[in-house]
Amino acid sequence: MHTDSRDHDEGFTLVEVIVAMLVFMIIVTGFLYTMTASLIATRDTRARVVAANLASQQIDLIRDVSSTFDVTNTSHDHDIQVNSDRYHVDVSTSWQTASGTTASCEAGAATGALAYKRISVEVAWGDGDDRSVHSDTAIAPASKINDPTLGTVLVGVVNSAGTAVSGATVSLSPSGGVASVSTDSDGCAYLLKVPAGTYTVTVSKTGYVSEQHVASPTADVIVTAGSSSRASFAYDEAATYSLTYAGNVAGTVHIPTDLTTSFVSTYGSSQFTATTSAKTKSYSLYPIPSGYSVLPGTYAETPGSPSTSCLSPDPSEWADAPGKVGLRPEPVAGTPGSTVPVPVPMGIVRLTNANGSGTHLKAVYDITSPGANGDPGCAAGMTYTFGSIVSSNSATFALPSGTWRLYRGNSSSQTSVVSSGISIVTGGTMASSNRVVVDPRVAG
């Protein structure tokens, strides 16, 4: 029987080769995936071991700190580079009372006496949420900080960004035999072994002011034996607002010697009364990010007490009229420690051959007809005095918006009514022969 020799020379077909290669690739891919997963797991395990060791080392370092009060949330935070990995060490601390509750330096009800400080150390690496290890411990003060017959005052100080203010001096009045202390890097201060009673806590730091623009703000606390009282302060480096008044008109313009300026913000309205007639004045203000609208005059919006309300200085409170609209000045913000120049336009009034006698001038807000001429009214009233500015029965001076009566006289008394020779350089009208309306509305 004859057999064709070509039957013995046949090899793999193209399809068989492709199938074989595909099978081989699947096997190799699985192998590579397994190897990669193994390497990643090994690397992660090694990183976790390193992180655990770093956490343990951090705990040991904290235990070596001389004072429990020196262990803060920020004093031990840092980054560590190990081989190609960067680890971030984050320390969280909190005081615990004898009853097991947390005692922070934030404001709140009185809590139990301080017993020990709980320390939580987190070491994280990479960008994954689960790439971190935690270690907790507790440390107690080396010496006794409590007395069952005495109390503790916890004080917290933060700035306008909500972060801690360190280095602020905290003191008690009366002192109760307790020395002043400084806030730590967490913005906390601890006044220990304070006799029971009522105290005033004062915070101070050069160049800083509270949200009420007070350089040394205070808070009253009641100290009870065996417990911890708390007080907190919003306190930041002041922004200096340099105001230039009545720059909207050229030439010599006189400013009241006792002009009140209102700074309106999301915190409300704060007033400052000057003691000079200088056209440029500076004020130290709490640097809130939203800033302040600056209004000449005593602006006060008090719906619950109409008799103390004064809306006239705010142009936005004036009733809109055909072709006229009142606009409150845009807020101006200052960063901590900065100086912010602010122009403050005012109504300009001129006397020419005015009647009356005396070189001194006084302007009194007229409260007899609130709402007239678009003026929203000032029930609280405003009175501003000028020095010896009237010469030859003439003078040019600035006033906040509102309805005013003018009086002349000597340095101690101004009672002579000015009823003629009055003109308004800026917007406004004469409501009568002796009443001038300084109108802040603009065309709109």
Side-chain angles (χ1 to χ4, degrees):
M1 180 177 180
H2 176 73
T3 302
D4 193 338
S5 60
R6 289 177 297 178
D7 294 339
H8 299 284
D9 296 334
E10 289 182 352
F12 292 104
T13 65
L14 179 60
V15 173
E16 291 172 327
V17 171
I18 292 175
V19 170
M21 292 179 64
L22 180 60
V23 172
F24 178 76
M25 289 178 62
I26 292 174
I27 295 173
V28 171
T29 301
F31 176 76
L32 292 176
Y33 177 81
T34 302
M35 289 295 295
T36 302
S38 177
L39 290 173
I40 293 174
T42 300
R43 177 182 174 82
D44 184 67
T45 299
R46 184 175 66 249
R48 287 184 181 277
V49 171
V50 172
N53 288 335
L54 292 175
S56 179
Q57 292 174 11
Q58 188 63 57
I59 293 292
D60 291 338
L61 290 173
I62 289 173
R63 290 187 177 280
D64 287 337
V65 174
S66 58
S67 172
T68 306
F69 293 96
D70 292 336
V71 181
T72 63
N73 292 331
T74 55
S75 61
H76 293 82
D77 288 358
H78 59 282
D79 290 334
I80 300 176
Q81 186 78 29
V82 180
N83 298 325
S84 61
D85 293 318
R86 180 175 292 276
Y87 298 84
H88 178 71
V89 180
D90 181 55
V91 179
S92 298
T93 70
S94 61
W95 277 100
Q96 305 294 307
T97 67
S99 61
T101 59
T102 299
S104 70
C105 61
E106 298 175 356
T111 185
L114 305 182
Y116 63 92
K117 181 169 281 190
R118 180 181 178 182
I119 312 297
S120 178
V121 178
E122 179 186 18
V123 180
W125 70 97
D127 55 1
D129 294 336
D130 60 342
R131 293 185 176 181
S132 63
V133 297
H134 299 261
S135 182
D136 297 305
T137 190
I139 56 174
S143 60
K144 186 177 180 180
I145 63 173
N146 296 310
D147 186 313
T149 65
L150 304 174
T152 301
V153 178
L154 311 181
V155 180
V157 184
V158 297
N159 59 23
S160 57
T163 56
V165 175
S166 62
T169 301
V170 180
S171 59
L172 283 180
S173 178
S175 66
V178 178
S180 300
V181 296
S182 296
T183 54
D184 58 24
S185 58
D186 288 339
C188 295
Y190 305 89
L191 298 162
L192 307 174
K193 297 182 180 180
V194 182
T198 301
Y199 297 84
T200 297
V201 180
T202 302
V203 174
S204 62
K205 187 173 183 177
T206 302
Y208 279 60
V209 295
S210 71
E211 80 279 15
Q212 298 300 321
H213 321 295
V214 178
S216 297
T218 61
D220 293 332
V221 296
I222 299 175
V223 177
T224 303
S227 69
S228 299
S229 302
R230 299 186 284 188
S232 65
F233 295 85
Y235 199 50
D236 206 343
E237 187 176 6
T240 300
Y241 280 69
S242 178
L243 275 50
T244 301
Y245 296 88
N248 49 317
V249 174
T252 300
V253 177
H254 296 284
I255 306 297
T257 58
D258 51 0
L259 177 63
T260 296
T261 303
S262 299
F263 294 86
V264 184
S265 69
T266 54
Y267 282 66
S269 178
S270 298
Q271 288 80 35
F272 294 84
T273 300
T275 57
T276 70
S277 60
K279 291 186 67 174
T280 299
K281 300 179 178 66
S282 295
Y283 301 91
S284 297
L285 303 180
Y286 187 72
I288 60 174
S290 55
Y292 299 88
S293 292
V294 182
L295 305 175
T298 310
Y299 173 75
E301 185 178 15
T302 55
S305 179
S307 63
T308 62
S309 177
C310 187
L311 305 180
S312 297
D314 185 358
S316 66
E317 299 283 0
W318 286 60
D320 290 343
K324 294 194 298 184
V325 62
L327 301 174
R328 176 183 288 181
E330 288 294 322
V332 180
T335 57
S338 67
T339 298
V340 186
V342 183
V344 183
M346 296 182 68
I348 310 300
V349 181
R350 180 170 293 148
L351 300 182
T352 306
N353 297 321
N355 70 299
S357 61
T359 61
H360 287 69
L361 191 69
K362 176 174 67 177
V364 179
Y365 182 81
D366 180 16
I367 61 175
T368 59
S369 55
N373 302 298
D375 187 346
C378 180
M382 289 183 286
T383 298
Y384 294 120
T385 57
F386 299 81
S388 181
I389 67 169
V390 182
S391 176
S392 300
N393 296 324
S394 300
T396 301
F397 53 95
L399 284 171
S401 56
T403 304
W404 303 90
R405 291 182 187 271
L406 306 177
Y407 299 86
R408 291 176 63 178
N410 55 34
S411 59
S412 59
S413 176
Q414 304 88 38
T415 59
S416 179
V417 177
V418 180
S419 58
S420 65
I422 306 172
S423 62
I424 304 174
V425 178
T426 55
T429 59
M430 294 299 300
S432 64
S433 62
N434 64 346
R435 286 193 302 139
V436 56
V437 180
V438 176
D439 190 339
R441 292 174 293 186
V442 296

